Amino acid sequence: MRKTTLVVSFLFLLLIAGTTWSATVGRIQGVITDKDTGEPLVGVSVMVVGTNLGANTDIDGKYKIINVPVGTYVLKISSVGYTGIDVENVAVSADLGTYINQSLSTSTTDLDKTITVRAERPMVMKDQIGTINVVTQDEIRALPTRGFADVVSLQSGVVSVRPNTAQLRGLRGARESVNSAELNIRGGRASEVAYYVDGFSQQDPLTGNSTTSISNTAIKEVTVISGGFPVEYGHVTSGVVNVITQGGAKELFGNAEAVYNDKYGKKWFSASLGGPMPGLEKMSYFFSAERREFDDRNPSAVTSDILPGSPDQLPSNWLASWAYTGKINYEFSPNVSLMINGNGSRDEWQEYRHVYLFDAGHAPYYLDQNLGLNATLTHTLNRSAFYKVSASYFVTERFRGDGVHREDLWAYGRPNGNRTFDDDNLFAEWDDIDSATTTLYDTMTVDGQLRTFIVGGDEGRMWDDYMRRKSSYLGFKGMLTNEINSENTIKVGFEYQRHTLRFYQHLFPKDVYRGIDSSGFLNVNRYGYDAYGEESDSEDWRNEAKNPTNVAVFVEDRLDYKDLIITAGLRLDVFDYNALRLRNENLPLNPDSLPATDSTIQTLEEADMEPGDVFKRISPRLGIAYPISDVTQMRFSYGKFYQRPELQNLYVGLDFMAHKIRTGGYYTSWGNPNLEPPKTTAYEIGVSHQLSDNTVFDINIFYRDVADLVQVQNVPSQPTSFATYRNTDYGTTKGIDFKLKMRRTQNIALDIKYTLQYANGTGSYSNTQGNIAWVNARGPKQTAPL
């Protein structure tokens, strides 16, 4: 019985401990004093109206209310013998404290009354330890932006970059294109930014990118952290984007908007609805949906100069998108609540490529799909402690292929070859609109099936690349927060994630007419899919789906000592890639140097492989905030941060790898499961000063040192060399942020941000040295602007 009790207790502690989700709550705290004497008041009740949250002041008149969801509230302050006060417009942001200090009056004429006052969002955030930009719902609706990515791109330290098309198209296996501009924070790579929606990761672990779309009507707040990450944030080295969506309410509310522009072919419609669930007073809901249709995703005034025939729009640069969000809240009791939320998006789009100007229909076509489902149970143990447990599932998929044939793999077959470039070598060949020639077809039997292929006629050059990938994770995590006393608040954390990764890329789908037995499917890098690109869980060890796991635990103490605020934490990450690696990269098919007569040296055997390493990393974090006065705050932060590499740089289909090692041929790179997690060491110091009641000035000086970044490199081997990835890149970023913010006054708000930054390193992407690896060279290591 005793052993059973110990086991159950241990499992329960593991379950309730932890968080590596992003914060979705803040805190309200302050001091209540006597208006006449200035002395602190003991036992004053401070309640958050409409919730079960509240606290009583201690012997020093201090109170602290933790676990307050992001939003705007009314604070009710009351005590026997004093006039009550209702403080309206108390705004709470994720990861931050809202300080509300009040003085109570003993005036006998007002004892039966309640005074209502209006709080203003503080201009100086007293417990800010790093660079945090908070954009509220009202600000988002006033900005000429759509979606959280546009909002993030306006924040200090953020650079919005649309990758050079040459970078994206030049090499097989190089970086994929993105629907919108990539976001780089403080010189970091795009994959170093972590994206969360309602506390749950929305990133594709294969690429590090996020294609999630959230409607403006569904967004309550966007927080961008570009320095001084709290210890609960893992798998991030550059920046955190935290999107909090709307939730239900006790009254019905809704919103709808439509945007239409005929010149650029843009249609945009979104609607949302929330409120109490009819017949269920303990349940509330919120739902939103958005539809976008763009004839040109990136309209530009210079289009008419480069495309005389299309003065307003780029051809084949369209978008058709759906995005939806839902959330249900249910209160089992005043202390126990359940939140179920989900979000999804579906983006179909085509990418303009200039070489396809006169063959625009065949420009590459993309289909991005995302779905996230989460459930979180919150139990408030008392006014000083609460815990959360959650389960989450997230899946993201992408297809990329020819704009005409799309997902029909067999339609790519070209027995007579793909059309090449025209005589001036600037554009792909296009249809001859002056000719009466039509597309010619022929049928043949391939792998036992009768197939029809294009063998001639006027069809233009096809996009000869077929790729699909699918990444999902199942996660469990929890959080235990305990205010031990008025000075110390402890967090402990635990997270577990198991991923399922699938990838399929046919480098030359024009060859599918040859079939499997006649080398039509040799140039296919796949895992988790069968040879024809169908999702499969029955593949052998060479091509099975990949299942990396990561586990994290952390502990953090927040010390509020007089006016000094210190957060100190320690985080342990364990990365298990769960992959096989080559025993001998220089002799991959013959690691034991067997005689040439041995037939096994021409094939990849399981004995040629060995298990990869499990990586463990410890990250210390320290933050100090010191309010010098009511209008000035200084802060300092230091931390070490680790992030798993983009998982697409870890894995490869082993049949494909063996084929390329034996035959060589067209350049491509593949993953290396020996990659260590890149490391960032960051320092920051900042000052905030309130210039007036409505204006604040903010300055941050920062430095980042980045090591073990991933870069492609050629490996000499027998019988042919190959390109894979190594932890060889590094970089440094140093800079200064200025920010001047004026709160809305007489309908005018002002927000000016300026960043002066020097970001230098040996590579902006993991394929920066792709050309060097292609020609089997070793480039000199030298830094350049990132």
Side-chain angles (χ1 to χ4, degrees):
M1 177 67 71
R2 182 173 300 174
K3 290 182 178 179
T4 302
T5 303
L6 288 174
V7 170
V8 172
S9 300
F10 175 74
L11 292 175
F12 180 74
L13 286 173
L14 281 182
L15 181 64
I16 68 173
T19 84
T20 7
W21 53 41
S22 71
T24 58
V25 297
R27 58 170 60 192
I28 302 173
Q29 63 187 93
V31 179
I32 307 300
T33 57
D34 187 294
K35 186 175 182 179
D36 297 325
T37 66
E39 293 296 319
L41 296 179
V42 182
V44 177
S45 171
V46 184
M47 299 296 297
V48 181
V49 176
T51 74
N52 299 306
L53 301 172
N56 293 322
T57 57
D58 61 14
I59 193 172
D60 297 316
K62 296 180 179 179
Y63 71 93
K64 188 186 303 179
I65 306 173
I66 59 177
N67 192 32
V68 184
V70 171
T72 303
Y73 301 94
V74 174
L75 206 61
K76 181 175 286 294
I77 304 172
S78 61
S79 181
V80 177
Y82 289 86
T83 304
I85 294 180
D86 285 352
V87 184
E88 297 180 338
N89 196 43
V90 177
V92 176
S93 294
D95 283 314
L96 295 171
T98 299
Y99 289 78
I100 302 295
N101 300 327
Q102 285 293 327
S103 297
L104 301 186
S105 172
T106 57
S107 174
T108 57
T109 59
D110 294 328
L111 286 181
D112 296 330
K113 298 179 181 179
T114 299
I115 300 174
T116 301
V117 298
R118 181 178 177 82
E120 294 287 353
R121 181 179 287 269
M123 301 299 294
V124 175
M125 295 178 283
K126 293 184 178 180
D127 59 348
Q128 176 183 348
I129 62 171
T131 301
I132 302 178
N133 289 282
V134 179
V135 188
T136 65
Q137 184 181 53
D138 290 341
E139 291 171 325
I140 292 172
R141 290 180 176 176
L143 286 169
T145 58
R146 297 285 168 180
F148 68 84
D150 284 354
V151 174
V152 175
S153 68
L154 297 176
Q155 308 312 310
S156 55
V158 180
V159 178
S160 179
V161 178
R162 188 167 298 280
N164 188 326
T165 299
Q167 287 181 322
L168 300 172
R169 64 172 288 273
L171 304 175
R172 302 276 177 172
R175 289 186 60 78
E176 300 173 18
S177 186
V178 289
N179 185 13
S180 58
E182 290 183 341
L183 299 176
N184 302 79
I185 297 181
R186 289 189 174 175
R189 297 179 178 181
S191 59
E192 296 175 11
V193 181
Y195 296 89
Y196 297 91
V197 174
D198 287 328
F200 297 93
S201 174
Q202 301 286 306
Q203 266 176 294
D204 182 353
L206 270 173
T207 66
N209 294 325
S210 176
T211 58
T212 297
S213 298
I214 303 292
S215 167
N216 270 23
T217 60
I219 298 175
K220 179 183 289 186
E221 180 181 283
V222 176
T223 301
V224 182
I225 307 176
S226 49
F229 314 127
V231 74
E232 63 259 34
Y233 290 99
H235 314 309
V236 56
T237 55
S238 179
V240 174
V241 176
N242 191 9
V243 180
I244 309 298
T245 64
Q246 292 269 29
K250 296 186 180 300
E251 296 182 358
L252 188 67
F253 68 96
N255 185 288
E257 62 178 349
V259 178
Y260 176 77
N261 184 295
D262 182 62
K263 181 177 181 180
Y264 296 109
K266 291 210 168 192
K267 301 174 185 177
W268 202 315
F269 177 78
S270 62
S272 62
L273 184 68
M277 189 70 73
L280 297 171
E281 62 180 25
K282 293 185 177 182
M283 182 180 292
S284 62
Y285 69 91
F286 174 82
F287 297 105
S288 74
E290 178 178 83
R291 172 65 174 172
R292 294 180 292 164
E293 295 181 9
F294 299 165
D295 290 346
D296 184 359
R297 293 181 295 117
N298 313 107
S300 170
V302 302
T303 302
S304 58
D305 297 328
I306 61 174
L307 299 175
S310 303
D312 298 328
Q313 301 170 14
L314 289 174
S316 293
N317 201 46
W318 55 270
L319 167 72
S321 169
W322 282 101
Y324 45 91
T325 303
K327 185 181 293 185
I328 294 175
N329 296 88
Y330 185 81
E331 292 187 0
F332 292 98
S333 71
N335 295 325
V336 181
S337 63
L338 175 68
M339 180 189 74
I340 300 175
N341 66 301
N343 63 276
S345 58
R346 186 181 194 275
D347 292 353
E348 283 188 278
W349 55 287
Q350 202 165 5
E351 180 186 14
Y352 172 74
R353 296 289 181 97
H354 201 56
V355 294
Y356 281 85
L357 175 62
F358 302 105
D359 188 23
H362 284 287
Y365 160 86
Y366 293 79
L367 173 61
D368 292 324
Q369 300 182 87
N370 297 277
L371 175 65
L373 300 172
N374 314 290
T376 302
L377 181 72
T378 302
H379 183 194
T380 302
L381 301 174
N382 51 56
R383 291 187 174 184
S384 300
F386 71 95
Y387 69 83
K388 293 183 177 183
V389 292
S390 76
S392 59
Y393 173 76
F394 177 73
V395 58
T396 178
E397 300 180 65
R398 163 166 282 193
F399 169 79
R400 182 190 66 196
D402 179 78
V404 174
H405 304 299
R406 300 191 180 181
E407 296 178 80
D408 185 358
L409 177 61
W410 294 104
Y412 289 69
R414 295 293 184 275
N416 292 338
N418 194 17
R419 301 288 287 272
T420 57
F421 292 94
D422 67 355
D423 293 338
D424 60 20
N425 206 31
L426 288 176
F427 303 103
E429 285 190 326
W430 59 89
D431 293 358
D432 183 358
I433 60 176
D434 296 324
S435 172
T437 304
T438 58
T439 303
L440 304 178
Y441 298 90
D442 193 10
T443 58
M444 59 182 69
T445 300
V446 179
D447 295 341
Q449 297 290 325
L450 192 64
R451 306 288 183 183
T452 300
F453 301 106
I454 294 174
V455 295
D458 67 345
E459 188 189 64
R461 177 176 174 80
M462 175 194 67
W463 174 262
D464 191 19
D465 194 285
Y466 185 98
M467 187 274 291
R468 61 171 70 244
R469 56 174 167 77
K470 182 177 182 180
S471 309
S472 64
Y473 78 79
L474 182 64
F476 300 95
K477 34 191 174 176
M479 179 180 71
L480 174 63
T481 301
N482 187 12
E483 183 186 350
I484 298 176
N485 52 46
S486 62
E487 296 179 345
N488 289 275
T489 302
I490 296 290
K491 286 183 181 180
V492 291
F494 170 84
E495 176 189 34
Y496 170 82
Q497 281 186 350
R498 182 181 188 272
H499 299 272
T500 300
L501 309 177
R502 305 178 189 274
F503 184 84
Y504 181 96
Q505 185 174 21
H506 198 312
L507 298 181
F508 301 106
K510 65 180 178 62
D511 293 333
V512 296
Y513 72 93
R514 302 178 187 271
I516 290 180
D517 296 333
S518 300
S519 72
F521 288 83
L522 288 178
N523 286 293
V524 176
N525 181 10
R526 66 183 177 94
Y527 44 87
Y529 290 97
D530 66 16
Y532 301 119
E534 298 297 327
E535 189 174 320
S536 172
D537 288 316
S538 59
E539 302 303 302
D540 65 11
W541 62 274
R542 293 175 176 85
N543 303 299
E544 63 187 356
K546 309 303 181 183
N547 299 114
T549 60
N550 53 271
V551 177
V553 293
F554 76 82
V555 60
E556 179 187 82
D557 180 31
R558 169 174 167 149
L559 173 66
D560 290 74
Y561 179 72
K562 296 183 178 179
D563 290 331
L564 184 66
I565 301 169
I566 300 176
T567 59
L570 200 64
R571 177 186 177 90
L572 169 65
D573 285 289
V574 180
F575 305 97
D576 186 355
Y577 303 150
N578 196 19
L580 296 174
R581 65 186 182 190
L582 292 169
R583 286 173 49 208
N584 185 340
E585 286 190 334
N586 300 117
L587 294 171
L589 305 182
N590 187 18
D592 299 317
S593 300
L594 297 175
T597 55
D598 194 314
S599 61
T600 62
I601 69 172
Q602 296 300 319
T603 60
L604 183 69
E605 305 294 331
E606 196 165 3
D608 299 333
M609 313 294 291
E610 64 182 7
D613 292 332
V614 176
F615 296 95
K616 304 177 183 68
R617 295 293 184 268
I618 295 178
S619 310
R621 315 276 176 93
L622 176 66
I624 301 173
Y626 181 62
I628 299 174
S629 67
D630 290 340
V631 295
T632 305
Q633 186 245 30
M634 291 189 65
R635 56 189 174 272
F636 167 80
S637 66
Y638 158 81
K640 287 186 179 292
F641 311 96
Y642 292 92
Q643 183 175 25
R644 323 169 280 248
E646 299 170 24
L647 295 185
Q648 65 180 349
N649 294 333
L650 297 176
Y651 301 112
V652 62
L654 298 182
D655 272 345
F656 173 75
M657 182 181 72
H659 166 68
K660 298 299 287 185
I661 289 174
R662 285 194 301 265
T663 63
Y666 197 95
Y667 171 87
T668 186
S669 57
W670 59 69
N672 172 20
N674 298 316
L675 294 177
E676 297 188 10
K679 176 182 68 177
T680 295
T681 304
Y683 306 85
E684 179 176 323
I685 186 170
V687 177
S688 296
H689 178 66
Q690 189 168 341
L691 302 175
S692 67
D693 289 342
N694 297 308
T695 307
V696 66
F697 176 73
D698 195 271
I699 183 172
N700 297 284
I701 301 172
F702 58 87
Y703 176 83
R704 298 175 67 242
D705 179 79
V706 188
D708 295 330
L709 287 171
V710 175
Q711 185 56 251
V712 69
Q713 182 175 301
N714 190 274
V715 177
S717 72
Q718 295 292 332
T720 64
S721 64
F722 61 89
T724 188
Y725 296 91
R726 293 286 190 268
N727 294 105
T728 60
D729 271 357
Y730 55 88
T732 59
T733 303
K734 52 189 175 183
I736 185 169
D737 282 334
F738 299 93
K739 180 169 66 175
L740 180 67
K741 185 178 182 69
M742 184 184 77
R743 188 157 40 208
R744 186 171 299 280
T745 305
Q746 296 181 348
N747 297 323
I748 295 177
L750 180 68
D751 199 356
I752 299 176
K753 299 182 176 72
Y754 178 80
T755 301
L756 175 63
Q757 165 180 291
Y758 297 91
N760 291 280
T762 53
S764 292
Y765 301 97
S766 58
N767 283 287
T768 299
Q769 298 188 29
N771 284 327
I772 296 173
W774 191 347
V775 298
N776 195 16
R778 290 292 178 91
K781 279 293 180 183
Q782 59 186 37
T783 60
L786 297 172

